[in-house]
Amino acid sequence: MDLELSDEQRLLADSLKAFVDSELMPFEAVTDRAGEVSKELGRQIIDKALALGFYAANLPESVGGGGLDNASLAIMERELGKVTHALHGYVWRPTELLLACEGDQIERYLTPCVRGEKTECFAVTEPGAGSDILSMSTRATQKGGDWIVNGSKHFISSHVLPDFAIVFAVTGEDETDRGPRKRITAFLIDRGQQGFDIQRGPRSVSQRAYPTYVLSFSDCRLGPGQVLGCEGQGLELADKWIKMGRVWVGANCCGRAERLFELSVDWAATRKQFGQSIGRFQGTSFKLADMVTELQAADLLVMHAARKADAGTMVPADAAMAKLYASEMLHRVADNAVQIFGGMGLMEEMPIERLWRDSRLDRIWEGTSEIQRHIISRHVLRQRDG
């Protein structure tokens, strides 16, 4: 990683690397085979992350978080991205949306998340909507002073069964210059609340131990104190999380790509064929050259977006470019790594096949590559009044 880091950022990267190497990576293979992280291991990771100041590092010090800026968080996400989300999820980064908590919500939701006592999930995606947030059909209807929620969400990911969900629902419709537009509101809904059911979803070939959940709401009655922010503010809140989420996916991809690259270099330098190391053959050496070049480019794109976010100048296209290029770079790096390792690259005894499988998901979640290209092209055309 050649990103002109400050001394503090270099120390952060080194500390995270040591933590990942000692506390997470040894459990990666067994976690993948089991399809889950044991409660004991999960608690162990949380406690160590809390002790080292990694937990809730994204939230401000005023609420008990680490107060890191976005550039530092990108470095953190890059190192954590070297292992499965199932494990590094326990080094939790609670959603910044919780900063919108007010009154009793602070002690009920925000503070326990900062302390590692509760975990939330971010529930937007629906079976019939996917990346099209305004097509969501989950609705919350006001009845007296309460809200009645009906609908469902799927592909809601979390490293652990969440204690509560931040659920986005349609609460009305507004007239705009472009016609009617759904009004979206965020709600805080506790697991176990009547009318709210949460079940584990289908198992994915990527990130096997990182579960997704299906959330169902049937006449789920919520009090006015369970609205997060203001009624109709949901899209604004969601946008903050989604934009930075794309930068974090890009950083994760760079970390995983670096791990694949280092494994590939070691293999190419030591694996012998026809009397010499395979790294001496142009077919292999050129792959290594492409891998490291694309990784450097992705690193720079991700850090550029993070630093612009710190300066308050990041636009959606910046995050989209970082996520698009880094995720597709990882795909190419992973595929080249399998090719360099040959048959051994597909054997479960090696980490290559797992990293290759896991890399496929990054071009889908937090917005597909097609969605990112749409955001980028729209930004370019708007600059030309297109």
Side-chain angles (χ1 to χ4, degrees), residues 197-266:
D197 180 65
I198 180 168
Q199 299 290 333
R200 178 135 181 196
R203 188 179 181 187
S204 172
V205 68
S206 296
Q207 302 287 350
R208 284 180 175 171
Y210 188 65
T212 64
Y213 295 92
V214 177
L215 282 55
S216 302
F217 307 94
S218 179
D219 291 333
C220 181
R221 181 180 289 272
L222 308 177
Q226 287 171 268
V227 174
L228 180 62
C230 299
E231 195 263 333
Q233 194 183 17
L235 284 179
E236 180 184 339
L237 289 172
D239 186 57
K240 292 177 181 178
W241 172 258
I242 291 171
K243 279 194 299 189
M244 288 312 301
R246 288 168 178 160
V247 179
W248 307 146
V249 170
N252 284 172
C253 289
C254 290
R256 205 168 308 125
E258 183 179 66
R259 183 179 174 191
L260 282 159
F261 172 70
E262 295 293 343
L263 288 167
S264 298
V265 170
D266 290 344

Side-chain angles (χ1 to χ4, degrees), residues 154-360:
H154 78 159
F155 293 160
I156 307 305
S157 56
S158 176
H159 58 287
V160 68
L161 182 64
D163 297 287
F164 67 94
I166 301 175
V167 179
F168 293 80
V170 179
T171 54
E173 194 172 80
D174 295 317
E175 289 296 330
T176 72
D177 293 340
R178 297 185 178 184
R181 179 185 175 91
K182 289 179 179 177
R183 188 162 64 249
I184 310 295
T185 301
F187 295 89
L188 299 161
I189 309 182
D190 297 289
R191 191 180 80 237
Q193 183 153 343
Q194 187 173 359
F196 173 30
D197 180 65
I198 180 168
Q199 299 290 333
R200 178 135 181 196
R203 188 179 181 187
S204 172
V205 68
S206 296
Q207 302 287 350
R208 284 180 175 171
Y210 188 65
T212 64
Y213 295 92
V214 177
L215 282 55
S216 302
F217 307 94
S218 179
D219 291 333
C220 181
R221 181 180 289 272
L222 308 177
Q226 287 171 268
V227 174
L228 180 62
C230 299
E231 195 263 333
Q233 194 183 17
L235 284 179
E236 180 184 339
L237 289 172
D239 186 57
K240 292 177 181 178
W241 172 258
I242 291 171
K243 279 194 299 189
M244 288 312 301
R246 288 168 178 160
V247 179
W248 307 146
V249 170
N252 284 172
C253 289
C254 290
R256 205 168 308 125
E258 183 179 66
R259 183 179 174 191
L260 282 159
F261 172 70
E262 295 293 343
L263 288 167
S264 298
V265 170
D266 290 344
W267 184 263
T270 56
R271 171 67 169 161
K272 303 276 192 216
Q273 288 282 278
F274 306 105
Q276 59 183 338
S277 65
I278 63 172
R280 291 183 175 274
F281 295 106
Q282 190 177 90
T284 299
S285 64
F286 278 21
K287 286 183 177 65
L288 295 174
D290 288 342
M291 291 162 80
V292 72
T293 300
E294 291 193 62
L295 173 56
Q296 177 75 355
D299 267 328
L300 292 170
L301 261 178
V302 169
M303 190 55 70
H304 177 67
R307 286 170 175 160
K308 286 189 73 174
D310 282 329
T313 58
M314 189 185 81
V315 297
D318 294 318
M321 283 188 278
K323 198 269 184 184
L324 171 67
Y325 187 80
S327 63
E328 298 204 344
M329 172 277 299
L330 174 59
H331 159 67
R332 292 186 289 271
V333 167
D335 197 65
N336 275 332
V338 171
Q339 201 68 20
I340 289 170
F341 275 79
M344 287 305 297
L346 296 174
M347 299 298 108
E348 289 189 348
E349 287 74 14
M350 304 286 284
I352 303 300
E353 64 85 22
R354 182 172 62 253
L355 294 166
W356 177 59
R357 276 190 285 109
D358 288 352
S359 72
R360 186 60 185 88

Side-chain angles (χ1 to χ4, degrees), residues 93-205:
R93 176 170 44 80
T95 169
E96 290 87 348
L97 272 65
L98 292 173
L99 296 175
C101 286
E102 297 180 343
D104 293 343
Q105 294 176 343
I106 295 173
E107 287 302 317
R108 186 174 173 183
Y109 298 106
L110 173 59
T111 301
C113 286
V114 174
R115 292 175 178 166
E117 299 164 356
K118 284 187 177 182
T119 301
E120 84 286 358
C121 67
F122 179 82
V124 170
T125 308
E126 297 185 3
S131 298
D132 185 3
I133 294 178
L134 287 175
S135 289
M136 73 169 60
S137 58
T138 297
R139 287 189 171 271
T141 305
Q142 202 159 24
K143 189 173 183 180
D146 293 338
W147 293 90
I148 310 299
V149 181
N150 286 283
S152 64
K153 305 286 183 180
H154 78 159
F155 293 160
I156 307 305
S157 56
S158 176
H159 58 287
V160 68
L161 182 64
D163 297 287
F164 67 94
I166 301 175
V167 179
F168 293 80
V170 179
T171 54
E173 194 172 80
D174 295 317
E175 289 296 330
T176 72
D177 293 340
R178 297 185 178 184
R181 179 185 175 91
K182 289 179 179 177
R183 188 162 64 249
I184 310 295
T185 301
F187 295 89
L188 299 161
I189 309 182
D190 297 289
R191 191 180 80 237
Q193 183 153 343
Q194 187 173 359
F196 173 30
D197 180 65
I198 180 168
Q199 299 290 333
R200 178 135 181 196
R203 188 179 181 187
S204 172
V205 68

